[in-house]
């Protein structure tokens, strides 16, 4: 069909294809109907339409950078042999989004489904590039996923923009041997953390309690999440922008003080020097996400047995809060000709007990489903790299403590870019972090206004 | 002294005129017959266009059209909310007041002044050394200087990034071993020099090959004449080879103007190692890239790219003007 479905409103399209029996095309219109401003979901797709679509020979294109995902796709295909899934790896993160944006702009070549990280969902929903999954039964799946992950995929008007695939609630991995050597206890609060940083660095100037990477806006956002900051509140074209709110100011002054006193390092992460630093004991902790433990066991092999996991230090004693860093969703891309099959594939992939379990055993993903997070075979696993500690249990508990209301802006790339040029730069240069956080806010507000948003804050 | 000949000057002139008119007549006849031979109404000139058509099609499709499209884009402003509006030269006006862009242009200008003389000097020395015939294993020498050019610049930047590493790089390790201060290659004050070093390493070989090829085309009799006049190897290099290399040096210089002002790959890759030093507007090209793909501001990115092109044209002209004036004076 040569007509680009995206250019037509629901009514237009229905009149164009009213006589046709193409259930799939008609359903596109339903998906397309729920744009930014509509509050009511499109009419639910009937079970008979779904049954029919799942038995019709269809090929779905799925852009994802998950390695070996064909194993999970095979499980789906055993159940739905009529649906063929063409998995394409468009690169990880930014390159993938750039390609997706280009294809969407060109009006052709976009996939039926795409892997989208949580923080990028608003960036794509603002351009009406994602299909609201409510007509395909998404609402019924709310209780399948952990609450905060569901909050992440939910739009301002209740739209469901994707299904959570994996998550990264943040905790702290620490070197038990270094802590023991210098008599440092595991810090429960950030005050204890600051004291420990001082003690450790005084005892051995070549060791830092942690490394707060100056290129990693993701960690900063995760820490903002934990401290209770609300940097972004989005409602259609109205954007509340306060990346330097009171809670964020507390964060900036805390880390700015540690950094300017030289008690922590701020090396860029995932670089050669950083890997060496982990391996050679330059950093005594790594503030990281739930996918971190497996990653570390692969990239700092020589330190096996020396690491342990703990929750993040808290802002007040006895509190229990965390943020998220990373994790992805599977989203259906606007313009697909097979929205039913695509939505059902995304659903199956991320809710089926077999595939969700496989994501953990094959890809080492940290689960997004409540069932798996409570599964004894998952949380009871003893990790040998962590001397038999049940690391999954630690992070499963942390997952429960993640705030459900944190939101992302519809222009995340710009925010990350501005963060790196201001806050990140101040970390690297060991200059005033609070002032830099103010610059981040003013630069981002200027950008948002220039892009036509009504900016509050 | 008088020359006595059988013919008068007037006679010679007349004969010359005759020969000239004959030649002209012959060529006219030739042309007419050629025109007769050409068939199907396609004239000789038009047939020429057929031959360049493949080039023209690609030139139009892959160069001119995108260029025009970019020019067209630069006149609009597309916003996430509110759609696209025509802004005329608004994007250009914005660029002229953009400190980040101007800072980037000045930075690459400084880079040019710092890096290019060193690179061309080294290339010239290497080319003269190989051409002198005094080197043993000159082919090996030539190849080993040229090899870095064959290494993709992405790989080169990654390699140097490792070498520059402030904690675990080989230079840092060596400094630790000796007990001196660790050289800080990736700090704000040294970054430009570190990048210049990578670019020099990559492109000296390329320039050397151009210069060496130019040296090989100097006629041998000039050297023989110079030798007869008693010139040594140094004198020959200074008075014959270097003047003869002028056009080739100028070519290398122009390439370097363009390369410097379009600096992108090296800072883009080293950015990962020192994000606090190399920000998103470190060079104009990096800025345009970040505007287009991070800020989703394709229109302004197009205007910035056009202005950068203009800067390069002006810089190239200044270089040509300066060098030609020096040659005249």
């Amino acid at each position: 069909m040569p007509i680009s479905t995206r250019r037509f409103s629901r009514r237009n399209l229905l009149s164009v294809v009213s006589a046709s029996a193409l259930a799939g095309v008609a359903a596109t219109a339903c998906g397309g109907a729920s744009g930014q401003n509509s509050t009511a979901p499109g009419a639910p797709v009937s079970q008979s339409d779904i049954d029919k679509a799942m038995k019709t020979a269809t090929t779905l294109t799925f852009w994802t950078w998950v390695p070996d995902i064909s194993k999970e796709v095979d499980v789906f295909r055993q159940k739905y042999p009529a649906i063929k899934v063409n998995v394409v790896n468009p690169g990880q993160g930014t390159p993938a989004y750039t390609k997706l944006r280009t294809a969407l702009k060109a009006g052709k070549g976009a996939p039926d489904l795409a892997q989208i990280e949580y923080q990028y969902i608003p960036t794509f929903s603002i351009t009406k590039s994602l299909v609201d999954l409510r007509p395909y039964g998404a609402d019924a799946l709310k209780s399948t996923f952990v609450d905060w992950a569901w909050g992440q995929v939910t739009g301002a008007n209740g739209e469901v923009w994707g299904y959570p695939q994996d998550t990264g609630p943040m905790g702290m991995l620490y070197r038990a041997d270094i802590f023991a050597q210098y008599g440092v206890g595991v810090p429960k609060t950030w005050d204890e953390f600051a004291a420990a940083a001082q003690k450790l660095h005084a005892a051995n100037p070549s060791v830092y309690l942690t490394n707060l990477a100056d290129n990693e806006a993701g960690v900063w956002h995760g820490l903002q999440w934990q401290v209770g900051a609300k940097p972004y509140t989005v409602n259609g074209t109205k954007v509340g922008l306060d990346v330097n709110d009171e809670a964020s100011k507390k964060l900036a002054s805390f880390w700015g003080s540690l950094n300017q006193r030289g008690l922590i390092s701020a090396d860029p992460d995932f670089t050669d020097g950083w890997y060496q630093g982990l391996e050679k004991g330059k950093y005594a902790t790594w503030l990281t996400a739930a996918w971190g433990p497996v990653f570390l066991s692969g990239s700092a092999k020589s330190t096996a047995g020396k690491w342990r996991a703990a929750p993040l230090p808290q802002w007040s004693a006895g509190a229990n809060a965390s943020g998220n860093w990373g994790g992805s969703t599977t989203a259906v891309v606007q313009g697909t000709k097979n929205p039913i099959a695509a939505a059902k594939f995304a659903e199956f992939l991320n809710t089926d007990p077999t595939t969700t379990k496989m994501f953990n055993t094959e890809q080492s993903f940290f689960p997004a489903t409540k069932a798996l997070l409570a599964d004894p075979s998952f949380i009871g696993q003893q990790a040998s790299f962590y001397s038999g500690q049940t690391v999954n249990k630690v992070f499963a508990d942390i997952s429960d403590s993640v705030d459900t209301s944190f939101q992302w802006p519809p222009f995340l790339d710009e925010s990350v870019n501005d963060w790196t040029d201001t806050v990140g730069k101040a970390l690297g240069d060991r200059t005033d972090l609070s002032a830099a956080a103010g610059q981040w806010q003013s630069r981002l507000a200027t950008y948002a206004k220039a892009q036509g948003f009504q900016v509050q804050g | 002294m008088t020359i006595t000949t059988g013919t008068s000057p007037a006679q010679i002139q007349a004969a010359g005129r005759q020969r000239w008119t004959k030649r002209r007549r012959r060529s006219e006849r030739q042309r007419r017959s050629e025109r007769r031979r050409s068939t199907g109404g396609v004239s000789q000139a038009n047939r020429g266009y057929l031959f360049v058509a493949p080039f023209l099609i690609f030139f139009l499709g892959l160069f001119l059209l995108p260029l025009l499209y970019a020019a067209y884009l630069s006149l609009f402003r597309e916003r996430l909310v509110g759609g696209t509006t025509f802004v005329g030269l608004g994007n250009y006006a914005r660029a002229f007041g953009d400190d980040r862009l101007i800072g980037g242009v000045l930075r690459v200008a400084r880079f040019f002044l710092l890096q290019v003389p060193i690179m061309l000097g080294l290339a010239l020395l290497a080319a003269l050394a190989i051409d002198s015939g005094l080197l043993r294993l000159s082919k090996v020498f030539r190849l080993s200087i040229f090899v870095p050019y064959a290494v993709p610049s992405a790989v080169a930047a990654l390699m140097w990034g490792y070498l520059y590493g402030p904690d675990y790089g080989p230079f840092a390790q060596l400094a630790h071993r000796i007990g001196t201060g660790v050289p800080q290659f990736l700090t704000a004050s040294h970054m430009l020099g570190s990048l210049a070093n990578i670019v020099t390493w990559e492109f000296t070989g390329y320039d050397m090959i151009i210069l060496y090829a130019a040296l090989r085309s100097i006629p041998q009799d000039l050297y023989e004449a110079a030798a007869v006049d008693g010139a040594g190897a140094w004198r020959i290099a200074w008075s014959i080879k270097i003047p003869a290399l002028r056009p080739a040096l100028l070519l290398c210089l122009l390439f370097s103007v363009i390369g410097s002002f379009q600096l992108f790959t090296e800072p883009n890759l080293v950015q990962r190692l020192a994000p606090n030093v190399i920000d998103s507007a470190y060079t104009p090209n990096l800025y345009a890239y970040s505007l287009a793909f991070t800020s989703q501001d394709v229109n302004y990115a197009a205007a910035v790219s056009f202005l950068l092109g203009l800067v390069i044209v002006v810089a190239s002209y200044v270089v040509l003007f300066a060098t030609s004036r020096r040659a005249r004076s």
Side-chain angles (χ1 to χ4, degrees):
Chain A
M1 178 169 133
I3 300 162
S4 157
T5 50
R6 239 172 310 117
R7 257 190 266 139
F8 285 82
S9 73
R10 175 191 185 187
R11 201 159 300 137
N12 275 339
L13 196 73
L14 279 178
S15 63
V16 167
V17 294
S18 58
S20 90
L22 295 170
V25 177
T28 310
C30 297
S34 40
Q36 281 287 310
N37 302 321
S38 69
T39 44
V45 176
S46 73
Q47 190 58 43
S48 63
D49 281 350
I50 294 173
D51 290 343
K52 192 174 169 196
M54 301 311 279
K55 284 189 191 118
T56 311
T58 307
T59 302
L60 298 173
T61 306
F62 179 24
W63 284 8
T64 174
W65 59 86
V66 175
D68 298 324
I69 199 169
S70 56
K71 289 176 182 168
E72 284 85 0
V73 171
D74 287 344
V75 177
F76 170 80
R77 293 221 49 209
Q78 277 164 18
K79 194 166 175 203
Y80 300 104
I83 315 283
K84 235 183 104 184
V85 181
N86 182 15
V87 174
V88 177
N89 185 345
Q92 179 165 356
T94 311
Y97 300 136
T98 304
K99 274 180 201 151
L100 183 58
R101 237 180 244 129
T102 310
L104 285 165
K105 257 197 184 143
K108 61 178 178 189
D112 299 286
L113 299 119
Q115 176 179 3
I116 310 269
E117 290 159 286
Y118 295 105
Q119 66 270 28
Y120 276 95
I121 286 178
T123 302
F124 282 97
S125 64
I126 183 91
T127 52
K128 300 187 168 57
S129 306
L130 305 178
V131 172
D132 181 6
L133 298 172
R134 282 179 297 176
Y136 312 98
D139 279 335
L141 299 167
K142 184 175 194 281
S143 57
T144 306
F145 298 98
V146 287
D147 298 343
W148 68 265
W150 192 255
Q152 291 281 292
V153 298
T154 308
N157 300 312
E159 303 95 334
V160 177
W161 295 124
Y163 291 121
Q165 182 158 77
D166 66 315
T167 61
M170 285 183 76
M172 176 174 77
L173 301 179
Y174 64 94
R175 284 282 295 264
D177 59 324
I178 296 179
F179 275 29
Q181 188 183 347
Y182 298 105
V184 175
V186 180
K188 295 263 189 298
T189 64
W190 288 113
D191 284 341
E192 287 176 25
F193 186 87
Q198 189 158 19
K199 184 171 178 185
L200 192 61
H201 193 65
N204 184 348
S206 63
V207 178
Y208 298 90
L209 181 57
T210 200
N211 178 65
L212 191 64
D214 61 351
N215 60 337
E216 200 55 77
V219 167
W220 189 263
H221 277 105
L223 293 172
Q224 280 186 301
W225 196 331
Q226 189 213 13
V227 73
K230 296 278 183 283
Y232 318 104
T233 42
V234 185
N235 192 352
T237 57
K238 282 199 200 109
V239 178
L241 205 57
D242 204 356
V243 296
N244 194 28
D245 62 0
E246 285 310 312
S248 303
K249 279 182 180 147
K250 188 157 85 175
L251 195 67
S253 90
F254 176 81
W255 286 105
S257 156
L258 286 185
N259 190 42
Q260 281 187 295
R261 282 148 67 204
L263 302 180
I264 58 159
S265 61
D267 305 335
D269 61 3
F270 304 104
T271 59
D272 203 54
W274 179 80
Y275 284 114
Q276 298 254 23
L278 282 177
E279 192 122 26
K280 296 194 172 154
K282 182 180 176 186
Y283 321 127
T285 70
W286 181 26
L287 307 178
T288 186
W291 44 261
V294 175
F295 180 87
L296 185 68
S297 66
S299 47
K301 287 197 181 80
S302 69
T303 57
K306 294 174 176 168
W307 293 85
R308 299 288 183 279
L312 285 180
Q314 299 294 318
W315 287 101
S316 54
N320 190 16
S322 186
N324 181 67
W325 175 27
S328 288
T329 72
T330 310
V332 178
V333 178
Q334 196 65 262
T336 172
K337 287 170 192 154
N338 311 294
I340 299 181
K344 287 294 156 186
F345 168 71
E347 179 185 328
F348 182 93
L349 194 63
N350 299 306
T351 59
D352 181 77
T354 313
T355 51
T356 48
K357 182 124 198 175
M358 277 172 82
F359 276 128
N360 177 248
T361 53
E362 299 286 335
Q363 281 92 359
S364 305
F365 280 176
F366 193 78
T369 61
K370 285 178 183 166
L372 197 51
L373 284 169
D375 188 335
S377 73
F378 170 71
I379 51 177
Q381 259 174 45
Q382 295 184 331
S384 60
F385 189 82
Y386 301 87
S387 292
Q389 191 185 11
T390 50
V391 173
N392 288 345
K393 173 88 173 72
V394 175
F395 280 93
D397 290 344
I398 292 172
S399 183
D400 282 338
S401 70
V402 175
D403 183 80
T404 56
S405 64
F406 192 86
Q407 291 188 30
W408 297 99
F411 35 76
L412 186 79
D413 285 318
E414 181 67 24
S415 187
V416 167
N417 198 37
D418 287 345
W419 181 89
T420 313
D421 283 357
T422 56
V423 180
K425 182 174 167 55
L427 275 173
D429 292 348
R430 292 198 194 280
T431 53
D432 187 350
L433 212 55
S434 300
Q439 287 163 15
W440 181 25
Q441 165 70 18
S442 60
R443 269 180 66 163
L444 197 55
T446 307
Y447 173 82
K449 279 176 200 153
Q451 286 293 335
F453 289 95
Q454 279 177 270
V455 180
Q456 295 145 350
Chain B
M1 191 177 147
T2 51
I3 303 167
T4 48
T5 52
T7 44
S8 72
Q11 273 176 313
I12 294 173
Q13 272 181 358
R17 235 186 339 255
Q18 225 175 353
R19 226 175 299 147
W20 186 77
T21 37
K22 226 186 271 172
R23 207 186 302 147
R24 197 171 55 174
R25 244 177 265 142
R26 200 186 307 137
S27 70
E28 259 167 38
R29 228 178 295 137
Q30 227 166 7
R31 246 181 279 149
R32 240 175 279 139
S33 72
E34 272 160 18
R35 225 173 288 151
R36 244 175 281 133
R37 250 181 281 142
S38 73
T39 49
V42 182
S43 75
Q44 185 106 17
N46 287 351
R47 205 185 292 167
Y49 286 117
L50 267 178
F51 280 101
V52 292
F55 163 76
L56 273 181
I57 289 168
F58 280 100
F59 181 72
L60 280 173
L62 298 176
F63 185 76
L64 267 187
L65 280 181
L67 205 64
L68 289 176
Y69 182 60
Y72 168 79
L73 279 181
S74 72
L75 304 177
F76 291 86
R77 190 168 73 166
E78 189 187 353
R79 307 197 295 178
L80 282 169
V81 180
T84 308
T85 43
F86 180 78
V87 291
L89 296 177
N91 285 323
Y92 292 93
R94 179 180 160 198
F96 276 111
D98 190 340
D99 292 340
R100 304 189 74 206
L101 175 63
I102 294 165
V105 170
L106 292 178
R107 187 174 288 115
V108 286
R110 244 182 17 247
F111 178 87
F112 169 76
L113 293 176
L114 171 81
Q115 187 258 337
V116 172
I118 296 173
M119 177 175 69
L120 289 186
L122 287 174
L124 180 63
L125 277 180
L128 287 173
I130 295 169
D131 187 61
S132 71
L134 300 173
L135 284 184
R136 262 183 243 168
L137 297 174
S138 73
K139 277 185 183 162
V140 176
F141 183 70
R142 196 171 72 199
L143 189 68
S144 54
I145 293 186
F146 187 71
V147 155
Y149 177 69
V151 175
S153 46
V155 176
L158 288 175
M159 186 192 86
W160 280 100
Y162 163 72
L163 293 175
Y164 288 156
D167 284 323
Y168 307 103
F171 290 118
Q173 292 290 340
L174 191 69
H176 277 305
R177 217 36 85 67
I178 303 170
T180 56
V182 175
Q184 295 296 322
F185 295 106
L186 301 176
T187 54
S189 47
H190 296 122
M191 183 56 84
L192 218 51
S194 302
L195 290 174
N197 179 44
I198 299 178
V199 175
T200 304
W201 178 81
E202 282 175 300
F203 290 101
T204 300
Y206 177 75
D207 288 336
M208 175 200 73
I209 292 291
I210 294 180
L211 297 177
Y212 177 67
L215 281 174
R216 300 306 293 171
S217 68
I218 298 173
Q220 285 296 314
D221 29 349
L222 277 179
Y223 297 152
E224 281 160 21
V228 169
D229 284 346
W234 286 109
R235 186 61 206 254
I236 289 177
W238 184 252
S239 301
I240 297 178
K241 291 183 178 180
I242 292 182
L245 279 180
R246 242 184 66 84
L249 271 172
L250 206 60
L251 182 75
C252 292
L253 193 61
L254 279 183
F255 282 162
S256 303
V257 171
I258 297 168
S260 297
F261 279 88
Q262 295 202 340
L263 196 63
F264 176 77
T265 314
E266 292 79 9
N268 187 36
L269 285 159
V270 176
Q271 191 173 38
R272 266 206 75 65
L273 305 172
N276 57 325
V277 178
I278 299 183
D279 69 2
S280 56
Y282 194 74
T283 73
N285 249 0
L286 211 56
Y287 188 41
Y289 177 81
S290 154
L291 284 171
F293 293 105
T294 306
S295 307
Q296 304 304 317
D297 200 346
V298 179
N299 309 106
Y300 186 47
V304 164
S305 306
F306 256 90
L307 282 180
L308 177 62
L310 198 69
V311 168
I312 292 174
V313 169
V314 170
S316 306
Y317 184 77
V318 167
V319 163
L320 278 177
F321 185 70
T323 47
S324 65
R325 220 174 48 164
R326 198 175 307 145
R328 245 182 274 131
S329 62

